[in-house]
Amino acid sequence: QAFFCLLLCIPWGSSCPPSCQCTERAGAKAVLCSSRHLEEIPKDIPRDVVFLKLDANSITRIPGNAFRYLSHLEEIDLSRNAIEKIDGAAFRGVAAGLRSLDLSSNRIRSIPKEALLALNAKLRLANNPWHCECALQEVLWEARLDLDSVRDITCHTAPREEYVGKPLLQVLDAGANLCGAQQRTTDVAMLVTMFAWFAMVVVYVVCYVRHNREDSCRHGHYLRALPSAQAHAE
């Protein structure tokens, strides 16, 4: 934050989004768009930006390839917005160099794990109304979460009522496995599907056998009737 304050004092000479302030210090370029009533990520952000602050706005979603051409980005602050949806390819193009991504204090309930697991950045995900599920568990175990905020990732909703209102880390430390629950649900669904197919096959075989038996009976009756019909004709 102190670094951003210093950047504010040094204006940029190059293009800058009209609703933002652009500064530069020691070659590090920053685009500062905090509290500008933005409802979406600006389209005209300079490609050589290093620090991007979009906090305290009204942004509701991060579409795919939102930062694709900003290959110099190291820090993105999207905290205190109204973000509900994040595309799986939202951070494509910046994954390699990004060091910090702040998504705290939004309205995020779930997020595609591929959007975050490809990042090496330190993540802030606290104070969102999370639905505790397998994807969030995998993010917690595999992504680089900011340790100071990880305990504020709380289950707003969950597959089991006793998890609601508890920090996700506490739920997992107690031995819960959200991915295991999902796997059991998938296994049950597969079992039901297989049983339905098996029942259909059995019904088909029974109908087929019954139909052939009826045809055989009709053919037998016809053959037995032939000699008596010939004798009648003589």
Side-chain angles (χ1 to χ4, degrees):
Q1 290 179 347
F3 182 60
F4 277 119
C5 290
L6 289 172
L7 289 174
L8 279 170
C9 302
I10 306 173
W12 253 16
S14 58
S15 62
C16 185
S19 57
C20 304
Q21 183 177 358
C22 298
T23 62
E24 181 177 355
R25 182 175 182 270
K29 298 182 178 181
V31 175
L32 311 175
C33 310
S34 304
S35 304
R36 300 302 173 96
H37 307 290
L38 299 175
E39 296 183 356
E40 61 180 18
I41 297 169
K43 300 288 194 299
D44 49 355
I45 298 172
R47 296 192 177 193
D48 53 353
V49 62
V50 177
F51 305 101
L52 178 59
K53 283 185 69 67
L54 293 163
D55 57 304
N57 283 292
S58 301
I59 298 169
T60 58
R61 64 184 296 264
I62 307 177
N65 300 311
F67 310 100
R68 183 175 181 179
Y69 300 107
L70 308 180
S71 57
H72 297 278
L73 264 180
E74 294 183 9
E75 296 184 18
I76 305 175
D77 186 353
L78 284 157
S79 63
R80 296 183 295 151
N81 275 278
I83 297 169
E84 296 181 354
K85 181 176 177 54
I86 299 176
D87 189 270
F91 303 104
R92 181 178 296 166
V94 298
L98 199 63
R99 295 189 293 108
S100 175
L101 173 61
D102 194 342
L103 293 169
S104 59
S105 300
N106 278 281
R107 300 176 184 172
I108 306 169
R109 295 190 71 252
S110 63
I111 189 169
K113 63 182 180 180
E114 61 269 19
L116 298 182
L117 294 184
L119 299 176
N120 293 318
K122 183 178 290 187
L123 302 174
R124 287 180 173 268
L125 303 176
N127 301 318
N128 282 286
W130 290 107
H131 175 64
C132 289
E133 57 184 349
C134 182
L136 184 58
Q137 176 179 316
E138 291 179 341
V139 167
L140 187 65
W141 290 148
E142 299 180 36
R144 291 186 59 220
L145 296 181
D146 180 79
L147 296 179
D148 294 332
S149 64
V150 68
R151 293 190 178 277
D152 293 323
I153 300 176
T154 303
C155 297
H156 185 73
T157 57
R160 298 176 61 174
E161 187 66 28
E162 61 263 35
Y163 301 158
V164 175
K166 293 182 179 179
L168 177 59
L169 194 61
Q170 179 183 335
V171 170
L172 297 178
D173 283 345
N177 185 351
L178 301 174
C179 293
Q182 183 184 62
Q183 184 62 46
R184 286 194 297 273
T185 302
T186 303
D187 291 344
V188 170
M190 290 182 61
L191 185 62
V192 170
T193 302
M194 291 175 61
F195 179 78
W197 276 105
F198 179 74
M200 289 176 61
V201 170
V202 170
V203 170
Y204 173 79
V205 170
V206 169
C207 292
Y208 179 78
V209 170
R210 183 177 296 174
H211 178 72
N212 284 350
R213 183 178 296 171
E214 290 174 353
D215 283 348
S216 298
C217 289
R218 283 196 296 267
H219 187 63
H221 289 318
Y222 173 74
L223 292 178
R224 286 195 297 271
L226 283 179
S228 56
Q230 291 174 354
H232 224 18
E234 292 175 358

